[in-house]
Amino acid sequence: GAVVSQHPSRVICKSGTSVKIECRSLDFQATTMFWYRQFPKKSLMLMATSNEGSKATYEQGVEKDKFLINHASLTLSTLTVTSAHPEDSSFYICSALPGLAGGILTDTQYFGPGTRLTVL
Amino acid sequence: AQSVTQPDIHITVSEGASLELRCNYSYGATPYLFWYVQSPGQGLQLLLKYFSGDTLVQGIKGFEAEFKRSQSSFNLRKPSVHWSDAAEYFCAVGATNDYKLSFGAGTTVTVRA
C-alpha cells in the first residue's frame, strides 16, 4: 500500500519548451502533495506544497511562474516546468501525504520514484 | 526552522559488519523524525519514523534508530549489513504542524564483500 507514481520517469526537452510531470497516489487519497528537487549528490530541496483544490505554497526562492503546480484531485498533482532552461535540469521528486485513512490521519510522506529532467 | 545534519558523507562497511549512521537535528519542539533509503533509480523508501513514545524505533530491513533528545540525535543502526543495503540514506525532520520535511545531505553506504 501507499504507492506513489510519477510520469514520466525521464524526459529530455529543448530549451524554451514546457514539461509536465505527473504525480499520482495509486491506492490512497492525498490532500497534500509535496514537490522536491534533488541535485546530484545532494539532498532533497522542498520546492512547494500542493493542497487539493487550492493554490500551491512555494518555498522561498522558488519561482512560482516557472514551476506551476496543480493539484486537481485527491490523487493527482502536476508540476509544469515552463520555458525550461538547462539550469532546470534536475531530478524532481514528489511525495504524498495520506489524508484520513480508516479514520486515522497519517503523518508520513510517501515518495514517488522521481523524474529525471534534462534540458538541452 | 528545522534542519538536519548528517556528518558522514560516505561510509564503507564490510558485509556482515554493523552499521551506524549519524543524524543530528535542530527543531524547536518535539520533532517528527524519519530515515529514508534511496537506491539507484528508485524512490525514497521509509525505513522508520519517530513521532513519540519509545525512543528506540524498529524499522524495516532490520534497521533501528534511537531518539536522544539530550543530544538532538536520531542515529540509525543495523547489526549486520547485507550487500543490498548499499544505498543513499537520508535523515529528515518534520514539522508537526504542516508535515514539511527537511532532509539531511545524505550518507552514501558502500558495502564491500
Side-chain angles (χ1 to χ4, degrees):
Chain A
V3 178
V4 177
S5 70
Q6 279 185 245
H7 177 79
S9 57
R10 109 183 15 243
V11 58
I12 300 173
C13 69
K14 293 182 179 180
S15 185
T17 61
S18 294
V19 174
K20 181 184 284 188
I21 302 170
E22 292 185 349
C23 176
R24 292 182 185 273
S25 56
L26 299 185
D27 51 3
F28 64 95
Q29 293 184 333
T31 52
T32 302
M33 289 183 171
F34 300 89
W35 286 94
Y36 296 84
R37 185 171 178 178
Q38 185 179 29
F39 294 96
K41 304 296 184 182
K42 295 289 185 181
S43 184
L44 283 75
M45 181 192 77
L46 178 64
M47 299 174 64
T49 303
S50 167
N51 290 296
E52 187 267 338
S54 63
K55 289 184 178 181
T57 304
Y58 292 81
E59 295 300 302
Q60 192 171 13
V62 178
E63 299 177 60
K64 60 182 66 177
D65 293 331
K66 166 164 278 294
F67 300 101
L68 300 179
I69 291 172
N70 183 272
H71 194 156
S73 76
L74 288 173
T75 59
L76 173 64
S77 176
T78 60
L79 168 68
T80 301
V81 183
T82 62
S83 187
H85 288 92
E87 58 267 29
D88 299 323
S89 298
S90 194
F91 195 55
Y92 292 88
I93 303 174
C94 74
S95 71
L97 187 69
L100 287 172
I104 300 173
L105 183 65
T106 62
D107 301 320
T108 300
Q109 293 182 33
Y110 295 92
F111 285 81
T115 296
R116 172 75 59 195
L117 170 63
T118 302
V119 185
L120 302 176
Chain B
Q2 67 253 35
S3 65
V4 174
T5 301
Q6 292 182 247
D8 306 303
I9 297 173
H10 192 177
I11 286 180
T12 299
V13 61
S14 297
E15 190 169 17
S18 64
L19 173 69
E20 181 168 14
L21 303 181
R22 295 183 291 166
C23 172
N24 292 97
Y25 70 90
S26 174
Y27 186 65
T30 300
Y32 289 169
L33 293 163
F34 304 82
W35 275 100
Y36 286 90
V37 60
Q38 184 181 37
S39 298
Q42 298 189 19
L44 276 75
Q45 181 182 21
L46 179 68
L47 288 176
L48 47 78
K49 62 186 179 184
Y50 171 79
F51 287 169
S52 64
D54 193 347
T55 55
L56 185 62
V57 181
Q58 300 298 320
I60 63 171
K61 302 185 179 186
F63 285 93
E64 66 176 26
E66 187 171 11
F67 170 60
K68 292 186 178 180
R69 185 188 302 274
S70 61
Q71 299 177 20
S72 297
S73 69
F74 189 57
N75 295 347
L76 181 72
R77 297 191 293 259
K78 184 168 184 176
S80 177
V81 299
H82 187 261
W83 64 265
S84 60
D85 293 322
E88 189 81 16
Y89 291 79
F90 292 97
C91 180
V93 60
T96 53
N97 56 345
D98 60 12
Y99 307 110
K100 289 183 179 180
L101 293 181
S102 294
F103 284 84
T107 298
T108 303
V109 173
T110 299
V111 180
R112 59 180 174 223

